[in-house]
Amino acid sequence: MNTHADAPLEDAPGSAATDEARPAGAGRRAGVSLLVYGVLRLAAFLVPFGLMMLLPAFHDLWWLAAIFAALIGLSISVLFLRRPLADAAQSLAARREAAPRARTERELEDELEDAANDDAQRG
């Protein structure tokens, strides 16, 4: 039997989890950071690929040019795109922290068990 103990449950409207407001611009910053990083990574691949396709040796071996461009793009992104990657990761982490988290079935059961234990100890 599968109980899905860690599956998040939907909170009722008006509960504390749904009433928490996200900081203004948290989602927009993450989107812009990811867009900038994605465009730079794409350019790091497409520019070497385009330059290699201009060479006559790669006209028939386009797949080899794609492999070389991928390796060059990876190297460029590791060496020069650390700050955009860090910005994107930081904005995603901030966005995740700001998002309301649904309570799991296990957390609800723990609260009920704690309340029952407190009632039993009182008397």
Side-chain angles (χ1 to χ4, degrees):
M1 186 170 115
N2 191 1
T3 61
H4 301 291
D6 291 329
L9 300 175
E10 296 296 321
D11 289 325
S15 67
T18 58
D19 289 342
E20 293 177 9
R22 290 184 189 175
R28 182 172 292 146
R29 244 180 322 173
V32 170
S33 300
L34 284 174
L35 182 65
V36 167
Y37 181 68
V39 167
L40 290 174
R41 283 287 309 260
L42 194 59
F45 170 77
L46 289 177
V47 170
F49 183 70
L51 292 174
M52 280 188 272
M53 289 307 295
L54 292 175
L55 299 173
F58 288 111
H59 285 284
D60 292 330
L61 300 173
W62 60 268
W63 55 271
L64 189 59
I67 292 172
F68 287 155
L71 292 174
I72 292 169
L74 179 67
S75 301
I76 288 172
S77 66
V78 167
L79 292 174
F80 299 112
L81 299 181
R82 289 180 191 231
R83 176 165 283 160
L85 176 61
D87 291 344
Q90 186 176 20
S91 62
L92 282 175
R95 182 178 178 184
R96 183 171 178 146
E97 285 179 13
R101 188 177 68 85
R103 293 171 30 190
T104 63
E105 185 178 343
R106 181 174 294 185
E107 291 172 336
L108 293 172
E109 287 178 357
D110 288 345
E111 287 180 14
L112 288 173
E113 186 178 325
D114 290 343
N117 286 338
D118 289 343
D119 289 343
Q121 285 180 353
R122 282 190 227 146

